[in-house]
Amino acid sequence: MYLCTRNCSSVSKLMLRIAMKSYNSSKKMSKILKPVDYQPVLDMRQTEQGIKLIKEFFQQNLSTELRLRRVTAPLFVLKGLGINDDLNGVERPVTFPIKDLGDQKAEVVHSLAKWKRLTLAEYEVEPGYGIYTDMNAIRADEELDNLHSLYVDQWDWEAVICKKDRSLKCLKDIVSRIYASILRTEFLVCERYCKLKPFLPQEIHFIHAEELLCMYPDKTVKEREDLIAKAYGAVFIIGIGGKLSNGEPHDGRAPDYDDWTTPNEDGFLGLNGDILIWYPVLGRSVELSSMGIRVDKESLLRQLKLTGKEEREQLFFHQKLLNDQLPLSIGGGIGQSRLCMVLLHKAHLGEIQASIWPDDMRKECEKLGIKII
């Protein structure tokens, strides 16, 4: 595309800049995964019924498996309390003023990692029990593709643990129980819709991010994830956030919810991780859950220092934790739309949820046989 700006008026130049920005954005957005010979197994009516089936069945299984009670969650929280999750630290929350609070700012949540821990304390939940909720969020900086949307829906959960449970053994046990709930849900869906065939393995494989790096030292993070997921079908990668031997973290994590610096019994750092599966429809790995044992006082202070975020120590949430007013806990989020997408063998999140997608992406999906809602 060639645009000449010589001898243009200021208005014309502005219009040309807008057009160029739109063109560049369109080029970026058009890069989606294109499944070969894709044909949706279920029509739109069956898909909606399948979504309802999965959401109702899985959350009941999760609740029973981990002994969680359902609670109501906020869509937004006040800015400046340190409650909102800042993800990798660069994503901008959607912010708006509240008229009746003197235009004090509120933020649409990115996730509920910290809010859930405050709620455990408020409800005085005992060790071995926890809470779960439907989390709905807006992530305006998300790069849109088959697996990423502006709208995020998760089952966010959090459970109280004892000090002795801050261990890799406890983490693996919880991961295995969550994966068992996923397998039961897959079985139910395939029984209901016989054209869908199960593809998940019966066991989930555990590996630390450092081990994975040593296996594939010349590969990128995404390539490593794809290779290990394809090899085992389902994998939990431990130790997300801390630097590996190459000086880089496997992926980013905020310093004030997951514990990624405490040594574990396998001789590595980190008590958190991600559940990934190999997804044949797209021929790549898909992350279904991010979770972990949460920071205690020592790991919070250590991780804030490592990331240069010591000023957060004065925030409401952090003061609660540092003053022993919050329980030790483990928790995470499980993507609702993503789980529905993979269990219903869909190629794009837009087949599961109603969101905003670029026009060129919608047109490209239509050519590929992907029916965006």
Side-chain angles (χ1 to χ4, degrees):
M1 179 178 181
Y2 177 75
L3 295 174
C4 178
T5 59
R6 187 170 54 183
N7 297 326
C8 290
S9 68
S10 59
V11 174
S12 298
K13 288 180 180 180
L14 176 61
M15 294 302 293
L16 288 171
R17 285 198 298 270
I18 293 173
M20 182 64 78
K21 182 177 179 181
S22 175
Y23 172 72
N24 290 333
S25 174
S26 175
K27 286 177 65 180
K28 180 179 179 182
M29 291 303 183
S30 66
K31 295 179 180 179
I32 63 172
L33 295 171
K34 302 176 182 180
V36 179
D37 298 326
Y38 174 73
Q39 290 292 331
V41 180
L42 306 181
D43 62 27
M44 296 186 76
R45 179 181 61 82
Q46 292 170 319
T47 298
E48 292 289 0
Q49 292 172 340
I51 293 170
K52 181 175 183 291
L53 176 69
I54 291 169
K55 290 190 174 184
E56 290 178 350
F57 183 81
F58 179 79
Q59 69 177 348
Q60 186 60 52
N61 263 262
L62 182 71
S63 172
T64 303
E65 188 69 55
L66 301 185
R67 295 191 289 188
L68 309 173
R69 69 184 65 146
R70 190 187 184 283
V71 297
T72 300
L75 176 60
F76 40 81
V77 295
L78 285 174
K79 183 178 181 179
L81 296 179
I83 297 175
N84 200 4
D85 176 11
D86 67 347
L87 303 175
N88 293 311
V90 296
E91 294 87 350
R92 300 168 301 168
V94 175
T95 307
F96 61 93
I98 305 172
K99 180 179 178 182
D100 276 2
L101 294 182
D103 281 346
Q104 188 173 353
K105 296 292 181 63
E107 296 177 341
V108 175
V109 297
H110 275 150
S111 84
L112 298 170
K114 299 168 192 168
W115 177 87
K116 290 178 296 181
R117 200 164 175 183
L118 291 166
T119 303
L120 289 176
E122 184 179 357
Y123 285 20
E124 299 180 343
V125 177
E126 297 179 356
Y129 295 86
I131 58 173
Y132 81 94
T133 189
D134 286 302
M135 188 282 290
N136 297 287
I138 300 172
R139 295 182 182 173
D141 288 340
E142 201 72 79
E143 294 188 9
L144 308 181
D145 57 24
N146 303 62
L147 297 168
H148 297 88
S149 170
L150 299 174
Y151 170 63
V152 180
D153 54 344
Q154 293 183 166
W155 290 287
D156 252 338
W157 64 274
E158 198 86 10
V160 178
I161 59 175
C162 300
K163 187 174 182 179
K164 65 179 178 61
D165 295 322
R166 299 192 79 256
S167 67
L168 189 59
K169 180 179 181 297
C170 175
L171 177 64
K172 288 182 176 180
D173 176 63
I174 296 294
V175 170
S176 297
R177 289 156 67 182
I178 292 173
Y179 186 69
S181 295
I182 294 173
L183 283 180
R184 285 193 290 269
T185 308
E186 182 189 43
F187 174 78
L188 175 69
V189 173
C190 291
E191 284 289 292
R192 180 67 59 87
Y193 302 104
C194 297
K195 291 183 179 180
L196 297 175
K197 304 302 178 184
F199 64 90
L200 295 175
Q202 290 303 300
E203 302 290 338
I204 187 168
H205 179 73
F206 293 90
I207 189 169
H208 193 278
E210 181 64 40
E211 295 177 286
L212 189 57
L213 173 62
C214 291
M215 289 175 65
Y216 308 110
D218 59 337
K219 303 296 184 181
T220 66
V221 169
K222 185 66 189 68
E223 288 170 341
R224 297 199 295 268
E225 289 181 347
D226 284 348
L227 286 167
I228 197 68
K230 188 173 184 179
Y232 289 97
V235 63
F236 184 75
I237 300 177
I238 304 164
I240 308 291
K243 288 185 179 180
L244 305 176
S245 58
N246 63 354
E248 300 291 335
H250 182 84
D251 200 357
R253 281 294 186 277
D256 41 17
Y257 61 99
D258 277 357
D259 186 336
W260 38 264
T261 55
T262 294
N264 62 55
E265 48 263 51
D266 278 355
F268 298 104
L269 294 179
L271 294 171
N272 71 335
D274 292 341
I275 295 176
L276 289 86
I277 60 151
W278 177 254
Y279 190 41
V281 173
L282 294 180
R284 57 156 290 172
S285 61
V286 173
E287 178 190 321
L288 294 182
S289 176
S290 173
M291 57 172 288
I293 291 173
R294 306 309 197 186
V295 289
D296 57 9
K297 289 193 296 185
E298 290 74 18
S299 54
L300 172 65
L301 292 172
R302 183 167 59 244
Q303 291 176 187
L304 288 178
K305 185 176 181 180
L306 281 171
T307 55
K309 304 289 186 181
E310 293 98 328
E311 74 279 359
R312 293 189 187 180
E313 293 175 25
Q314 304 308 314
L315 296 175
F316 173 77
F317 170 84
H318 303 71
Q319 281 292 301
K320 285 274 192 180
L321 178 55
L322 294 173
N323 289 316
D324 297 314
Q325 295 175 324
L326 298 179
L328 298 174
S329 68
I330 182 172
I334 302 163
Q336 295 187 17
S337 289
R338 277 204 190 175
L339 185 63
C340 291
M341 174 183 162
V342 300
L343 294 187
L344 298 176
H345 299 196
K346 298 295 185 178
H348 196 288
L349 275 180
E351 297 176 272
I352 300 296
Q353 60 167 240
S355 186
I356 297 174
W357 310 97
D359 286 341
D360 62 310
M361 182 181 288
R362 284 183 173 273
K363 292 176 182 176
E364 195 163 4
C365 285
E366 186 176 357
K367 293 177 183 177
L368 294 168
I370 300 172
K371 298 183 182 297
I372 300 294
I373 296 175

